[in-house]
Amino acid sequence: MAATEPIDLLLAHERRLAAADTELPGQAEVREQWSGIGFRVGDERFVATMDDVREILDPPVCTRVPGTVSWFLGVANVRGTLVPVIDLHGFATGGRSAQSRQARALHYEREGISAAFRVDDVLGMKRFYFEEQVPADVATQALAPYVVDGFRRLDEQWPVLSLAKLVASKDFLNITP
């Protein structure tokens, strides 16, 4: 006689599952990953932590500030906040980078400090496994003090540039020639 009550149906189903004794698929090994935003300064690739980049913008229109270094592009209105805009390539080389269609600005905002860093290109979100972590080797010596780590995948090296460390530096704060 077939069970017609819902509880009887559930019990019958449970007995069939127990009789089948099938094992659930095992969970694959979970490896922790580090995530950041990849970008290019000159010919060199970098990555910044997700905590350092609030958003990626088209380079904002800047109002130049007289008597400042060439890499300080000026100030811009970013979502109602007056933000200093720094040419990261210019900061690294002491000059100014050429305008390009790929240029973007990484908007940094933490602990009441806001700044935008113009980079030559944004290369998207990058994820690395922690076993890919290596000491960083940076060709651009002016940015070396702000590199806190690095990752290597195949033949590509990705130094981790700390925008927080850069913003806190005296080099960043000294915008007069």
Side-chain angles (χ1 to χ4, degrees):
M1 180 160 159
T4 55
E5 294 297 314
I7 189 72
D8 294 332
L9 292 171
L10 287 172
L11 289 171
H13 185 64
E14 182 182 35
R15 281 191 297 274
R16 281 194 306 276
L17 286 174
D21 195 28
T22 57
E23 228 177 88
L24 293 174
Q27 182 175 346
E29 179 185 342
V30 177
R31 298 186 327 182
E32 288 191 46
Q33 291 185 331
W34 182 94
S35 298
I37 301 295
F39 58 95
R40 190 175 49 79
V41 175
D43 293 329
E44 198 163 4
R45 288 184 302 263
F46 291 91
V47 66
T49 69
M50 297 296 284
D51 291 338
D52 278 0
V53 180
R54 179 177 180 160
E55 63 182 317
I56 299 168
L57 310 165
D58 285 330
V61 176
C62 296
T63 300
R64 190 86 177 111
V65 177
T68 58
V69 292
S70 62
W71 51 262
F72 183 75
L73 299 177
V75 292
N77 181 346
V78 176
R79 310 219 186 289
T81 302
L82 201 57
V83 174
V85 181
I86 289 80
D87 176 7
L88 202 50
H89 185 223
F91 178 84
T93 62
R96 212 171 189 179
S97 64
Q99 296 289 340
S100 74
R101 294 176 57 125
Q102 292 85 17
R104 295 291 179 267
L106 305 177
H107 182 201
Y108 170 90
E109 188 174 58
R110 285 173 68 186
E111 301 171 7
I113 299 171
S114 187
F117 295 91
R118 185 181 177 279
V119 297
D120 295 312
D121 197 5
V122 170
L123 305 172
M125 186 178 213
K126 301 295 176 187
R127 290 189 171 98
F128 299 98
Y129 294 112
F130 283 104
E131 58 262 23
E132 295 174 306
Q133 199 167 13
V134 296
D137 182 27
V138 183
T140 309
Q141 290 307 307
L143 294 177
Y146 314 108
V147 171
V148 294
D149 223 335
F151 292 93
R152 177 176 295 282
R153 178 172 291 151
L154 302 173
D155 63 340
E156 293 182 340
Q157 180 165 332
W158 293 88
V160 177
L161 185 69
S162 171
L163 299 180
K165 195 172 181 180
L166 180 58
V167 166
S169 75
K170 64 178 173 66
D171 294 330
F172 174 81
L173 297 173
N174 187 12
I175 61 169
T176 56

